[in-house]
Amino acid sequence: TDTTDVTHDPRLANVVWTNTFAESDRLVSLSDEKFAFEVDQAFRGVGKYGYDEHETSDDESDFEKNAVKFLRPATEKMMGFLEQTHRNGGLGAGAGLVGGAPFEQPPGVVSARGKRGAFPLATKIAGRHVSHRLALIGDAAHQVHPLGGQGVNLGLRDVALLHQVFCDTIETGGDIGSARCLSAYEEKARSANLPMMATLDGLQKLFAIDSSLGAWARGFGLAGVNAIGPLRREIAKYAMGGA
């Protein structure tokens, strides 16, 4: 679940929820009260959205089922340790080695309002970012999954790169609309955006895996990243265009 506050009111947030086609249709059809309850459950990872509640499918192999059953006791202990570590500020926080922000419980979702809709996810990039005295930026240049608001960040990065190319061109007395100037922007934009687009596409596919073993690996990995302050901060820095 991706919650993004675009209302400037700390009590309100927009929600982008990536899910299967069938589940998306079900969520859209719920009443506001039932939808708010489901968002709250998913946000906190409890109820049917908790790791322990993940049901095995008849399509899963015996190896997957047995692997998850074998790993469950150790996983529960490790997940508990990682959660407590994050609550305390991160691995080594007490010794000032590897710290992080103290854990804060997510706010409860008490109500929902507004029209809900569902649409298929896609990742696309324009074949060309530039033409004769023309440069594409933002959604005109690329389309990504709505995960973490990265579409906006990629657009802002395009603006920063185009501005830098313009400044460099002006300093040398060049024409900002020339093919040389715009081609430099296109090269920089593709180099900066393609890795993030591939990452977002990979995350979407990762969360689309509906198997017990996949859910175990996904939850364990995310909990580990969450407990390691420097790694978490580097990921956030890269997502905000600071890489």
Side-chain angles (χ1 to χ4, degrees):
T1 303
D2 171 24
T3 57
T4 306
D5 180 14
V6 295
T7 62
H8 304 294
D9 186 333
R11 299 170 301 173
L12 303 177
N14 285 346
V15 177
V16 177
W17 194 340
T18 304
N19 222 311
T20 63
F21 286 108
E23 185 66 2
S24 296
D25 290 339
R26 185 187 71 82
L27 291 169
V28 168
S29 67
L30 293 176
S31 66
D32 288 345
E33 292 76 14
K34 291 182 178 179
F35 180 72
F37 175 77
E38 295 244 4
V39 172
D40 187 65
Q41 293 275 293
F43 199 32
R44 297 171 183 277
V46 298
K48 72 176 185 179
Y49 297 101
Y51 168 76
D52 290 338
E53 299 300 322
H54 186 90
E55 298 181 358
T56 58
S57 169
D58 293 337
D59 295 332
E60 294 181 9
S61 66
D62 291 337
F63 170 77
E64 288 180 301
K65 296 177 181 179
N66 292 332
V68 171
K69 183 177 181 180
F70 173 77
L71 293 169
R72 186 178 295 275
T75 300
E76 291 176 348
K77 291 182 180 180
M78 181 58 70
M79 292 288 279
F81 168 75
L82 292 174
E83 289 178 6
Q84 188 59 47
T85 297
H86 182 51
R87 291 175 187 274
N88 294 336
L91 291 172
L97 299 175
V98 183
F103 177 81
E104 295 183 9
Q105 286 285 353
V109 180
V110 297
S111 63
R113 69 187 187 194
K115 185 178 180 180
R116 296 187 296 275
F119 55 91
L121 299 177
T123 297
K124 298 179 180 178
I125 186 168
R128 295 179 61 191
H129 279 42
V130 300
S131 185
H132 179 63
R133 307 192 75 80
L134 171 71
L136 300 180
I137 63 173
D139 290 346
H142 38 68
Q143 176 184 350
V144 296
H145 303 305
L147 303 177
Q150 289 308 304
V152 173
N153 287 347
L154 292 180
L156 294 175
R157 181 179 294 177
D158 288 341
V159 173
L161 292 172
L162 188 59
H163 175 263
Q164 185 60 54
V165 169
F166 282 174
C167 290
D168 293 343
T169 301
I170 292 173
E171 286 182 0
T172 59
D175 178 6
I176 62 173
S178 67
R180 181 177 181 181
C181 172
L182 297 180
S183 293
Y185 156 71
E186 180 174 37
E187 182 180 352
K188 291 178 181 292
R190 284 185 177 277
S191 298
N193 292 332
L194 283 174
M196 175 56 75
M197 294 179 67
T199 299
L200 293 173
D201 190 53
L203 284 174
Q204 189 274 328
K205 287 180 170 58
L206 174 65
F207 279 90
I209 298 174
D210 189 27
S211 70
S212 299
L213 192 57
W216 171 83
R218 184 172 60 227
F220 190 76
L222 290 175
V225 170
N226 205 35
I228 303 175
L231 179 58
R232 187 175 68 249
R233 288 192 292 273
E234 284 300 313
I235 293 175
K237 178 182 176 183
Y238 175 73
M240 292 186 289

